[in-house]
Amino acid sequence: MNATIARLSFQALFGRRRGLVLMVVPALLIGLAVLIRALTEQGVGYELVDNVGFTLALPIVALLASSAVLGPEIDDGSIVYLLAKPVPRHAVATSKYVVAWLATLAFGAVPLLVAGLVIDSSDPRRALAWLVAGVVAGTTYSALFLGLAALTRHAVVVGLLFVLLWEGLLGGLLRGIRWLDLGAWGIEVGASVSSLVPPPGTGLTYALIASAVVALGSVWFAGDRLRSFTLRGDE
Amino acid sequence: MSTLVLDAVSRWYGNVVAVNGISMTVGPGVTGLLGPNGAGKTTLIALMAGFLSPSAGTVTLDGRQIWRSTEVHRTIGLVPEREISFGYLTGRQFVLANAELHGLADPGAATERALGVVEMTEPAGRRIDTYSKGMRQRVKLASALVHDPGVLLLDEPFNGVDPRQRLHLMGLLQRMGAEGRTVLFSSHILEEVEQVARQIEVVVSGRHAASGDFGAIRRLMTDRPVQYVVVSDDDRRLAAALIAEPSVVGVTVRGVTVRGVTVSGGTVSGRGGLDLAVSDLGSFAVRLPRLARDAGVRIIELTPTDESLESVFAYLVST
Amino acid sequence: MAERGAAERSGVIHDLGYRPYTGPRCGEGAIARALFVNGFLNAFGIGRSGRSKVLPFLLLALNLLPAVIVVGAMVLVGLQTLPVSYAQYASTTQVLLGIFVASQAPVLFSRDLRHGTITLYLARPLRAAHYALARWAALLAATLVFLLLPILMLYVGALLGELDASTQTEDAAKAVLLVVLLALTLTGVAALIASVSVRRGFAVVSTIAVLLLGNGIVTAVQGIATDQERPRIGEIAGLFSPYSLYRGAGATLSGLDSLTPPTGAGMEAAYFVTFVVLAGLCLGLLLLRYRKVAGR
């Protein structure tokens, strides 16, 4: 974990236009929650948190954050400035991951709590459950997308395909997908906090272990890819 | 004293061989890596900087292998060809970040020193995306110097830099070399290499074509005659005397017009002169004055026409 | 000697037989046409590297797969009506469509702006507006192919399955109209975002965010409105996302399933008008953007 690299990644994230979109997404979510609460009574529209916040907004925020801290620098080769240093590659990957992870939690997971509380302040446990689900899923999502960003230039599209097609479309059709569905693992953990969150049924232990494995593995993978980074010339 | 040693290094990507069995030693002083585009210069520099692993052979710095060694970056400063994309940082922040990443004891002082060396102290407070090309190049150089490396590798450092800044950069490189650092820079522009580095390594199509002082390289090519232009007050008489010399291989009279087309171009003095092809430079140099005096001819001008790097290059590349 | 010296210093251009092209040149129309064809092919990766063909063709195949299955089932089982109506199809596969448009719009718009090759295009007798139009038309055509192929497949399958030709034709025609409107809006949104945010990855995520998040939010609002028995709000909310516009217009035209279908002639008209206005607005902004780029 290297503070300078973390600082540089933080500046990369918020020094670009991406930073704005990162904040627009949760703002929309919370704004809508406020609007709904103002126009209706308590507890109405909780599916906003689940269907929009957790299924769509959280992965999008994680994707934006992870691809912003690693993608552009690898794309145009200027990551060589960070690698031509006596800093272990895994430290570089970990530092970048921490920044992406914190951004995902701040702009993806915490808004779930806020929106949940806004819509239904009488059941904070439920909102907390969604926060926990968001934290777990956000941790895994941001790690996976970081690994993808280190692997291919098309990380963004692949990440989107994964979230939207695999988890979204197919996950809704085939029950078995839940064993390989990062979002489902997050919900499983959230379900242990509040009974109002429907568990997908993979069991708490599996969900926690699987999330940890994917998260750690992805960050390690990203570091490994950085070790083998090659400088390409014009040939 | 840091010495980079490449020992029979090859690098291939599938069927494409980028570097083919190159062995070279880069010692202290300024060395120019010369070669046309696509010759493998960037690949070589990447190999020396530890960002590429050789498919065969070894690349070592003072005996230690460079690939996959994070410690080696303490001694090496790399100025890549790529642009810095950290446009949102100021020059000072960028160099400071580099200093911190090197784990220097006093990054702030090192940053100021490096910025001073490249004369970027004043614009360092502005964002990098407001800089001109030459300024970016200097910031890149500052970031490579901040940890006082013994080895400095520069990939096409003069690319797109305006003449004034180029002069400044050249002076800087020469000073670094004089300090005893090992400086290697690549270029495909002959004048740049000629002015800064006396020691050159020529790479053509991945092969090591020549190395050493370029004047010495030229003299090694004895199978091709050395060209001279000599202007005298009686060219024909001198020509007659010269053709009798064993060291002279060919004499051509310049400035002759054949069917409206001029056979050979003018000289500095504007007079005709003779084109000479000489096979033995040493004996020719001794014989010429005596020949001229015996023939009663006064020599006005004597110019070697191919001692430049250009001609060396042309010979090596044309095959 | 002196004049020889002067003559020697002058230059001479040798005649190697080079002749500039003096024949007829095609006009701007031909240039725009060529751009259109090239853009259309590029949207499917044809004319580019092998790897760029993978995604569009994969998405296209996945998009057609259900149609193939439906036709097969129909013919084998002998159904009397299409299990998935023509208009319903696009609604079901909206994720694939969204990814297709989001990932291919940068190919047509962001690439040239990012790498500066736009100046090469604009150096030709081609106005920036025409360049933008040609590219937009190419993306539109590609999106239409994406949307119309399944409809065609279902139509052929229905005819082969000997369903009533006149109803099928009518249904298919209505669906084609709806799909064209949807393609217009999606193309507009994606093209605009791709031309503004020139980094490919960012453009893709932004487009998806706008399309799918927008749709998700509108659906959630519509759900709540239905629960609260205030469908009017849902109808108005439906105006804010291309997919919900599609569903609303489709509910009016061909009885598509929609949470809060527009009721009353005014609202129904509003859906269609919004469709067209949104498409036009995006196109207008796109042209403005390129006018600004060209003016640089």
Side-chain angles (χ1 to χ4, degrees):
Chain A
M1 170 60 190
N2 187 299
T4 315
I5 296 196
R7 199 183 71 229
L8 284 174
S9 310
F10 180 80
Q11 282 170 310
L13 194 55
F14 293 102
R16 299 193 158 101
R17 245 184 281 186
R18 247 179 252 240
L20 288 168
V21 180
L22 213 55
M23 293 189 252
V24 164
V25 173
L28 265 177
L29 187 67
I30 296 179
L32 198 59
V34 166
L35 198 66
I36 292 177
R37 180 71 184 84
L39 297 176
T40 63
E41 73 239 359
Q42 269 218 95
V44 170
Y46 217 92
E47 59 267 21
L48 183 75
V49 175
D50 178 358
N51 294 338
V52 177
F54 185 83
T55 316
L56 280 179
L58 181 66
I60 285 181
V61 166
L63 192 56
L64 275 174
S66 299
S67 63
V69 298
L70 198 55
E73 286 155 16
I74 288 193
D75 223 8
D76 58 21
S78 49
I79 194 163
V80 70
Y81 292 100
L82 298 180
L83 295 179
K85 302 286 178 294
V87 177
R89 306 297 187 242
H90 288 292
V92 177
T94 316
S95 315
K96 287 191 174 288
Y97 172 65
V98 166
V99 174
W101 177 68
L102 285 174
T104 310
L105 292 188
F107 297 103
V110 167
L112 293 176
L113 175 72
V114 174
L117 284 177
V118 163
I119 291 182
D120 189 353
S121 48
S122 69
D123 189 0
R125 207 175 163 76
R126 194 175 177 195
L128 197 65
W130 280 109
L131 175 70
V132 169
V135 167
V136 172
T139 310
T140 350
Y141 276 137
S142 48
L144 181 69
F145 294 147
L146 192 77
L148 276 179
L151 178 65
T152 159
R153 271 179 42 204
H154 304 272
V156 173
V157 181
V158 175
L160 275 177
L161 277 176
F162 173 72
V163 169
L164 297 173
L165 277 184
W166 180 254
E167 294 194 356
L169 209 63
L170 291 176
L173 294 172
L174 305 167
R175 282 264 299 165
I177 302 257
R178 70 187 193 270
W179 298 102
L180 292 173
D181 180 340
L182 274 55
W185 300 338
I187 296 184
E188 186 73 40
V189 178
S192 68
V193 174
S194 160
S195 56
L196 284 169
V197 177
T202 59
L204 187 60
T205 354
Y206 177 81
L208 282 171
I209 294 181
S211 299
V213 165
V214 169
L216 290 169
S218 301
V219 178
W220 181 88
F221 176 73
D224 196 60
R225 290 292 302 180
L226 286 177
R227 281 221 294 172
S228 329
F229 174 77
T230 55
L231 196 61
R232 295 229 171 279
D234 55 356
E235 35 254 359
Chain B
M1 292 296 159
S2 319
T3 315
L4 275 166
V5 177
L6 279 81
D7 187 13
V9 168
S10 295
R11 170 76 197 184
W12 53 79
Y13 302 94
N15 271 338
V16 177
V17 180
V19 171
N20 198 336
I22 292 191
S23 297
M24 66 166 83
T25 309
V26 183
V30 185
T31 308
L33 185 62
L34 185 64
N37 285 328
K41 303 194 296 292
T42 304
T43 314
L44 268 177
I45 290 191
L47 282 166
M48 288 190 241
F51 284 108
L52 207 54
S53 70
S55 311
T58 57
V59 184
T60 52
L61 174 66
D62 293 337
R64 295 190 324 263
Q65 203 187 32
I66 299 184
W67 171 242
R68 286 226 169 175
S69 150
T70 35
E71 281 310 301
V72 79
H73 293 298
R74 286 194 204 277
T75 340
I76 294 183
L78 175 68
V79 180
E81 195 189 350
R82 301 290 192 109
E83 286 293 328
I84 323 175
S85 85
F86 297 95
Y88 48 89
L89 295 175
T90 69
R92 185 166 280 118
Q93 283 172 343
F94 178 66
V95 181
L96 187 64
N98 277 276
E100 287 172 356
L101 287 174
H102 273 292
L104 299 179
D106 190 351
T111 308
E112 294 309 317
R113 209 175 45 233
L115 286 172
V117 167
V118 299
E119 291 179 14
M120 279 288 291
T121 324
E122 192 229 62
R126 296 199 334 246
R127 279 165 59 122
I128 290 183
D129 52 17
T130 62
Y131 286 177
S132 69
K133 175 98 194 210
M135 291 162 89
R136 285 184 214 218
Q137 206 70 343
R138 285 193 279 172
V139 165
K140 277 201 268 181
L141 189 58
S143 73
L145 290 174
V146 75
H147 58 294
D148 210 22
V151 177
L152 199 58
L153 301 170
L154 304 106
D155 197 352
E156 311 239 357
F158 302 108
N159 240 352
V161 173
D162 69 54
R164 200 177 132 269
Q165 300 197 348
R166 201 160 72 188
L167 271 170
H168 178 255
L169 203 57
M170 286 187 192
L172 196 58
L173 289 181
Q174 279 171 326
R175 249 184 305 149
M176 301 268 142
E179 282 170 10
R181 290 184 225 254
T182 305
V183 178
L184 176 87
F185 74 100
S186 76
S187 179
H188 56 273
I189 299 176
L190 306 165
E191 290 81 42
E192 293 171 354
V193 183
E194 204 165 27
Q195 287 173 48
V196 190
R198 194 66 185 167
Q199 167 85 1
I200 62 162
E201 309 281 346
V202 184
V203 175
V204 179
S205 303
R207 287 204 152 81
H208 196 189
S211 93
D213 175 285
F214 68 77
I217 293 174
R218 184 68 200 78
R219 278 185 273 283
L220 281 173
M221 291 184 225
T222 49
D223 56 359
R224 172 97 193 211
V226 185
Q227 313 276 2
Y228 278 97
V229 168
V230 62
V231 178
S232 64
D233 61 357
D234 191 343
D235 290 331
R236 294 259 172 205
R237 215 148 89 206
L238 184 61
L242 281 171
I243 201 69
E245 266 301 304
S247 60
V248 173
V249 173
V251 178
T252 310
V253 180
R254 300 169 70 100
V256 172
T257 313
V258 178
R259 279 198 277 271
V261 180
T262 313
V263 166
S264 44
T267 58
V268 175
S269 56
R271 314 177 66 143
L274 300 169
D275 268 328
L276 293 183
V278 169
S279 66
D280 184 355
L281 175 58
S283 65
F284 173 73
V286 170
R287 289 290 299 150
L288 177 64
R290 195 157 302 163
L291 259 175
R293 198 191 51 193
D294 291 343
V297 172
R298 189 159 57 98
I299 292 183
I300 296 166
E301 187 190 320
L302 178 65
T303 326
T305 48
D306 68 347
E307 171 80 354
S308 70
L309 211 50
E310 181 95 43
S311 46
V312 174
F313 201 61
Y315 295 152
L316 294 174
V317 174
S318 64
T319 39
Chain C
M1 274 287 177
E3 60 260 20
R4 208 178 304 152
E8 281 157 12
R9 217 168 271 135
S10 68
V12 56
I13 292 181
H14 303 285
D15 187 357
L16 300 171
Y18 171 74
R19 299 269 175 269
Y21 180 69
T22 48
R25 287 181 186 264
C26 303
E28 210 180 326
I31 302 179
R33 208 163 33 244
L35 259 180
F36 167 74
V37 171
N38 175 264
F40 175 71
L41 291 176
N42 277 359
F44 287 101
I46 305 172
R48 294 173 63 213
S49 71
R51 260 211 294 191
S52 58
K53 295 184 183 54
V54 170
L55 187 63
F57 278 110
L58 178 68
L59 289 172
L60 193 62
L62 284 174
N63 192 37
L64 290 174
L65 194 62
V68 169
I69 296 176
V70 162
V71 168
M74 250 182 38
V75 169
L76 290 173
V77 175
L79 298 168
Q80 289 298 61
T81 54
L82 280 176
V84 178
S85 78
Y86 297 103
Q88 181 73 36
Y89 200 89
S91 194
T92 324
T93 56
Q94 67 188 45
V95 168
L96 292 169
L97 178 62
I99 296 182
F100 178 78
V101 162
S103 63
Q104 300 310 111
V107 168
L108 294 178
F109 292 94
S110 308
R111 251 192 333 166
D112 289 330
L113 287 169
R114 175 98 205 275
H115 301 289
T117 49
I118 183 83
T119 48
L120 293 176
Y121 285 109
L122 296 178
R124 300 274 161 261
L126 177 74
R127 271 175 287 199
H130 293 184
Y131 168 86
L133 258 172
R135 290 297 208 191
W136 179 85
L139 187 62
L140 179 68
T143 319
L144 279 175
V145 164
F146 202 86
L147 283 165
L148 289 175
L149 268 181
I151 294 185
L152 182 67
M153 205 172 275
L154 288 176
Y155 183 64
V156 167
L159 289 182
L160 286 177
E162 298 192 340
L163 295 174
D164 182 28
S166 61
T167 9
Q168 292 306 307
T169 318
E170 193 190 327
D171 284 342
K174 284 188 200 161
V176 166
L177 173 65
L178 288 168
V179 150
V180 164
L181 286 172
L182 180 64
L184 280 169
T185 23
L186 286 181
T187 312
V189 170
L192 188 60
I193 295 181
S195 68
V196 168
S197 102
V198 290
R199 277 193 192 264
R200 211 183 113 264
F202 187 43
V204 173
V205 177
S206 304
T207 315
I208 286 281
V210 166
L211 290 177
L212 291 177
L213 258 183
N215 184 44
I217 290 178
V218 165
T219 314
V221 169
Q222 286 183 334
I224 295 171
T226 323
D227 275 343
Q228 294 288 306
E229 282 159 22
R230 304 237 300 256
R232 205 58 170 176
I233 295 187
E235 291 170 31
I236 298 177
L239 292 171
F240 286 91
S241 148
Y243 290 121
S244 58
L245 277 171
Y246 178 79
R247 280 195 299 272
T252 318
L253 214 50
S254 31
L256 204 57
D257 274 332
S258 171
L259 279 175
T260 53
T263 51
M267 187 54 81
E268 289 174 2
Y271 267 63
F272 284 94
V273 165
T274 316
F275 242 144
V276 174
V277 164
L278 185 58
L281 191 66
C282 289
L283 183 59
L285 287 172
L286 183 71
L287 292 177
L288 260 177
R289 162 84 178 141
Y290 271 93
R291 172 120 55 100
K292 184 165 159 260
V293 167
R296 231 177 267 165

